[in-house]
Amino acid sequence: GAVVSQHPSWVICKSGTSVKIECRSLDFQATTMFWYRQFPKQSLMLMATSNEGSKATYEQGVEKDKFLINHASLTLSTLTVTSAHPEDSSFYICSARMGRPSYNEQFFGPGTRLTVL
Amino acid sequence: AQSVAQPEDQVNVAEGNPLTVKCTYSVSGNPYLFWYVQYPNRGLQFLLKYITGDNLVKGSYGFEAEFNKSQTSFHLKKPSALVSDSALYFCAASYNNNDMRFGAGTRLTVKP
């Protein structure tokens, strides 16, 4: 149980285009989803926290107009990288947290490798 | 500030030897503590967690961790390392329903 999927697993796009990444909780309802970014050989950096039906809360330094997050249902959150540039190339990981008390445990997706040419 | 520290960037052990990956956390209430493992180009896989109770927590793949409140540590251990244990390990802490904070990660290399 508690499986989180991400799609696509990898994507290559041209500079200036927009890319959408989906994060789904497959067997539970996730009231809260998180988006992380990970650079090579570095730890996870929290980008934003999204709660179903409300606007995402972005971490300091993360451009909300560039990284659009939508959490339209209890099982789906999307991250759209708008007007992507090479510096946006990274590994993006989502996680989901159950609504019931779960000691804040997060279940992680497999990640999406974004390469912007 | 609430934080998690992994003092070692790299840990090297020989196969069959015991391994320890260190983690300390800042003192601020009673954190929930977690260990995750990450293989190349993959997401994080849950290993174990400490919420309350017995200080020695047993997790997946033969790993265990000991919560030490006096030393504010939560070191990950395994009695006998396998080559397949080579990966990136992250310690994490969650405080009072806030977001999870991750350590910088420790790369474990187990040599045959």
Side-chain angles (χ1 to χ4, degrees):
Chain A
V3 178
V4 176
S5 69
Q6 275 183 247
H7 178 80
S9 56
W10 60 270
V11 56
I12 301 173
C13 69
K14 294 182 178 180
S15 185
T17 61
S18 294
V19 175
K20 180 185 284 188
I21 303 170
E22 293 186 349
C23 177
R24 293 181 184 273
S25 56
L26 298 185
D27 51 3
F28 66 99
Q29 292 185 329
T31 54
T32 306
M33 286 185 167
F34 304 86
W35 287 96
Y36 295 87
R37 185 172 180 178
Q38 185 181 30
F39 291 104
K41 299 183 180 180
Q42 293 190 24
S43 188
L44 278 70
M45 290 178 48
L46 179 65
M47 298 175 66
T49 302
S50 73
N51 292 294
E52 184 265 338
S54 61
K55 290 183 178 180
T57 302
Y58 290 81
E59 294 296 298
Q60 191 172 10
V62 178
E63 299 177 57
K64 60 181 66 176
D65 293 331
K66 181 167 187 62
F67 298 100
L68 301 177
I69 292 173
N70 183 279
H71 192 163
S73 75
L74 286 172
T75 60
L76 173 65
S77 176
T78 60
L79 167 68
T80 301
V81 183
T82 63
S83 186
H85 288 92
E87 58 265 31
D88 298 324
S89 298
S90 190
F91 194 54
Y92 293 87
I93 303 175
C94 75
S95 70
R97 189 168 70 192
M98 296 179 181
R100 62 177 172 80
S102 62
Y103 309 108
N104 298 319
E105 183 175 352
Q106 296 179 25
F107 302 93
F108 289 84
T112 297
R113 171 77 56 194
L114 170 63
T115 302
V116 185
L117 302 177
Chain B
Q2 299 162 345
S3 66
V4 176
Q6 292 181 242
E8 302 158 316
D9 293 335
Q10 175 97 26
V11 170
N12 298 315
V13 298
E15 187 176 29
N17 283 1
L19 69 86
T20 298
V21 183
K22 296 179 180 178
C23 172
T24 59
Y25 61 93
S26 64
V27 180
S28 178
N30 296 310
Y32 305 134
L33 299 166
F34 304 82
W35 274 103
Y36 291 90
V37 60
Q38 185 182 32
Y39 294 97
N41 294 311
R42 302 291 295 276
L44 273 65
Q45 296 181 32
F46 170 80
L47 281 179
L48 50 80
K49 66 185 177 188
Y50 173 81
I51 304 300
T52 185
D54 194 349
N55 289 342
L56 184 63
V57 179
K58 293 187 181 298
S60 307
Y61 312 119
F63 284 94
E64 58 187 30
E66 185 168 10
F67 172 66
N68 188 318
K69 190 171 184 177
S70 63
Q71 297 183 5
T72 63
S73 67
F74 189 56
H75 300 332
L76 181 70
K77 299 181 180 183
K78 186 172 183 179
S80 178
L82 300 172
V83 173
S84 58
D85 292 330
S86 299
L88 190 56
Y89 290 80
F90 290 101
C91 181
S94 181
Y95 298 81
N96 299 326
N97 286 328
N98 287 338
D99 305 324
M100 191 172 285
R101 299 295 171 183
F102 288 87
T106 299
R107 183 163 300 282
L108 171 68
T109 300
V110 181
K111 297 182 178 178

